[in-house]
Amino acid sequence: MPIVKFEHRRGIRNAFADEYLEGPPGDIDEDLFEINEALVAQQEAPVNYYASPWKERWQPQSAKDTDKQTDEPGRAQDVRRAWLVRGSSVNGRDLVPTWISKGSVSLAASHLRPIDEELARDELKAIVEEDYQHASYAARQEKLDEFYAFLSRMRPGDLIATVSQGQMYLGTITGDPEYVASADKRSNLRRTVHWEGHDKGIDYADLPTEVSARLNAQREVLDLTQYLDKLVALTEEEPGVVVESKVVLPAATPELAARLHVPQEWLQDCIDLLDDRPQLIFYGPPGTGKTYLARALAAHIAGDNVKLVQFHPAYSYEDFFEGYRPDQGGNGQVGFTLKPGPLRRLVDQATENPSTAHVLIIDEINRGNLAKIFGELYFLLEYRDQSIDLLYSSSDDDKGFTLPENVFIIGTMNTADRSIALVDSAMRRRFAFRPLRPTEPPTAGILRSWLQSEGRPTESAELLEELNTVIGDVDFQIGPSYFMRPAVYQPKGLERVWDTAILPLLEEHHFGDGTNIAARYGLETIRKRIAAKSGAAIADAVPETTGGADEATAATD
């Protein structure tokens, strides 16, 4: 019987050393060889150190039980996990029908030596490195993950899943792992399983989207614990009934519309767009309330589950999603650790709470290099039901990463800073776009509505409308946010915001073209234009009766 675990070899050597070693203990392998030779000669038969009466001499029952409880550090005995083990193409053969009929599941482990199921990960790694030295480093790492999961992390009571011919089959693990040398090298590692419903599979079309996306990861063994509740629900549903998991976004309310001073119908249209395509961008010139609306809408549909980032030219994939960052270890030495970015943290939260909406707000989204920042995540923005390999793969992500359907992205884009036309077609195809233009609904009515709710005169709204008429270019018109602050309505407040915020912005717009900004856009100039229009309107409204009055006077005289 091979003994591969170091603690076991040492325990057996120490237990039998006094009786069967001629000298003091030395090299463990040499000592075990000597002990085994003596025992075989004494018993006149091979000795199984894992069977009675030998196991009791070196491995008391309490120690064995304790060892089993620590196979997976940090996992309580009553915690259930879910696993996928593939069997539809094992060395060219579909083993799933055999598994279901015989009540089992297996791994090929075609080059793996007979081993003890209680191996620690480091010990198993040494064996895999030797037995699979013909394979690449990546293949050896993959085999290590699969074998360790099958031997040590899986436990009786865990949910097991497999797929074949477009069907998923679910069962419950009922036995410990065992090594059985199969003649065809297709099933050396085995566990017993009670398959639910036996030959009744579940169509891929009836699986929750996030589960089917996870199945795209090309690994022999996958941890599906995050979908345990959904998989358990599938065993309780009638065949053909889809387990609905899509997040239902709350409808726009009159209170929200009143607080934002925009029509309720327009807000509902934005929510419907997010429900259909979970990426939306508000774009328009400065001061149109893009960020304010984005934050209010995000809070309405996701509550506290909102993160905000702002893109800039130096922003990168490592900042946005994940990347290696300097980190000081416990020994005082500085190394590099894979650190999550805001999107990665939001995805982790969303995965743990699949029935709750989570929103990422990207302010000034067009100021960053979008292809560089999103990287391979571009694909997932459009295909939420698929999985991809990440640039920096952790132990879980090398099995495939998916973007949950309950993650929504709202971006803002300043068209005065950079034209929407400069956003590549891939991004425009993945986002819905809603314009916010000062002279068009819903933005056109925001300032007047706010002034009315605050009990203030409408002069600033009239000034803004006339100013935007003079500007003309829709990408450089001024939004109402500049005038929606209490300080504007203090003494000299309007003049101050005009001179320090609006005119400098227009100077930048006309830089180098010789325009006299103060003469064309100054506050007094705009006021005179309004007064002139008002006077002309009054004149047009008065009937032409001057001649008749003179005639009447003359007649009286």
Side-chain angles (χ1 to χ4, degrees), residues 284-290 436-439 443 446-447 460 464 467-468 471 474 476-484 502 505:
T288 47
K290 300 179 292 295
L436 292 173
R437 299 188 176 103
T439 58
T443 316
I446 288 179
L447 182 55
S460 58
L464 178 62
L467 174 64
N468 284 327
I471 294 173
V474 294
F476 292 92
Q477 289 176 338
I478 305 300
S481 298
Y482 290 99
F483 302 94
M484 296 175 68
I502 294 175
L505 191 65

Side-chain angles (χ1 to χ4, degrees), residues 142-445:
E142 186 173 322
K143 290 297 180 185
L144 172 61
D145 292 341
E146 294 170 4
F147 295 156
Y148 184 67
F150 195 89
L151 292 169
S152 298
R153 298 186 65 199
M154 293 183 188
R155 293 179 181 169
D158 283 357
L159 186 75
I160 196 78
T162 193
V163 291
S164 175
Q165 303 297 319
Q167 301 275 315
M168 171 181 275
Y169 300 87
L170 298 171
T172 302
I173 298 175
T174 58
D176 292 328
E178 59 178 340
Y179 186 98
V180 180
S182 61
D184 56 10
K185 299 287 186 179
R186 289 190 176 99
S187 57
N188 287 343
L189 290 180
R190 301 179 186 178
R191 281 182 179 267
T192 56
V193 173
H194 171 68
W195 292 101
E196 305 287 347
H198 302 291
D199 58 346
K200 294 181 181 178
I202 303 168
D203 288 337
Y204 271 20
D206 295 335
L207 296 176
T209 304
E210 56 269 39
V211 174
S212 59
R214 185 65 166 161
L215 297 182
N216 293 324
Q218 298 303 307
R219 296 294 295 264
E220 297 303 310
V221 179
L222 284 175
D223 189 341
L224 298 179
T225 304
Q226 67 190 85
Y227 309 119
L228 177 62
D229 293 342
K230 291 181 172 58
L231 293 173
V232 170
L234 286 173
T235 66
E236 300 169 352
E237 294 286 342
E238 293 295 327
V241 176
V242 178
V243 178
E244 183 59 50
S245 61
K246 185 176 177 62
V247 172
V248 178
L249 300 181
T253 62
E255 294 77 16
L256 179 65
R259 178 163 58 88
L260 299 179
H261 303 283
V262 297
Q264 182 180 349
E265 295 77 11
W266 184 87
L267 285 172
Q268 185 59 50
D269 188 47
C270 292
I271 294 174
D272 292 341
L273 284 172
L274 282 171
D275 191 51
D276 175 60
R277 178 186 295 178
Q279 292 95 223
L280 173 67
I281 286 180
F282 294 131
Y283 70 96
T288 47
K290 300 179 292 295
T291 304
Y292 182 80
L293 286 171
R295 295 180 65 183
L297 187 61
H300 176 70
I301 66 177
D304 295 332
N305 301 311
V306 178
K307 288 187 182 295
L308 187 147
V309 298
Q310 187 176 70
F311 281 3
H312 52 78
Y315 207 70
S316 67
Y317 175 94
E318 289 75 12
D319 300 314
F320 182 55
F321 189 69
E322 66 180 356
Y324 283 96
R325 293 285 184 263
D327 184 42
Q328 185 170 344
N331 57 3
Q333 295 183 344
V334 177
F336 287 88
T337 304
L338 190 61
K339 296 290 185 67
L343 178 58
R344 183 63 202 247
R345 291 194 296 270
L346 189 72
V347 166
D348 291 341
Q349 294 173 8
T351 301
E352 292 298 321
N353 301 277
S355 61
T356 304
H358 291 68
V359 178
L360 177 70
I361 299 173
I362 305 177
D363 200 29
E364 304 286 1
I365 190 172
N366 57 325
R367 294 188 65 226
N369 184 332
L370 299 182
K372 174 185 175 183
I373 294 172
F374 278 92
E376 69 274 4
L377 302 175
Y378 248 8
F379 175 80
L380 294 181
L381 292 177
E382 187 170 8
Y383 301 102
R384 296 292 184 98
D385 60 343
Q386 301 293 315
S387 62
I388 57 170
D389 294 330
L390 296 173
L391 178 61
Y392 303 106
S393 293
S394 64
S395 58
D396 291 330
D397 295 331
D398 59 5
K399 303 165 188 174
F401 175 81
T402 60
L403 190 60
E405 287 196 331
N406 60 325
V407 171
F408 300 86
I409 299 176
I410 302 178
T412 69
M413 181 181 294
N414 188 344
T415 52
D417 178 54
R418 189 176 177 187
S419 172
I420 187 176
L422 297 180
V423 178
D424 64 40
S425 59
M427 177 59 72
R428 280 189 273 125
R429 188 174 72 249
R430 287 162 169 81
F431 280 79
F433 286 79
R434 291 306 306 264
L436 292 173
R437 299 188 176 103
T439 58
E440 299 177 5
T443 316

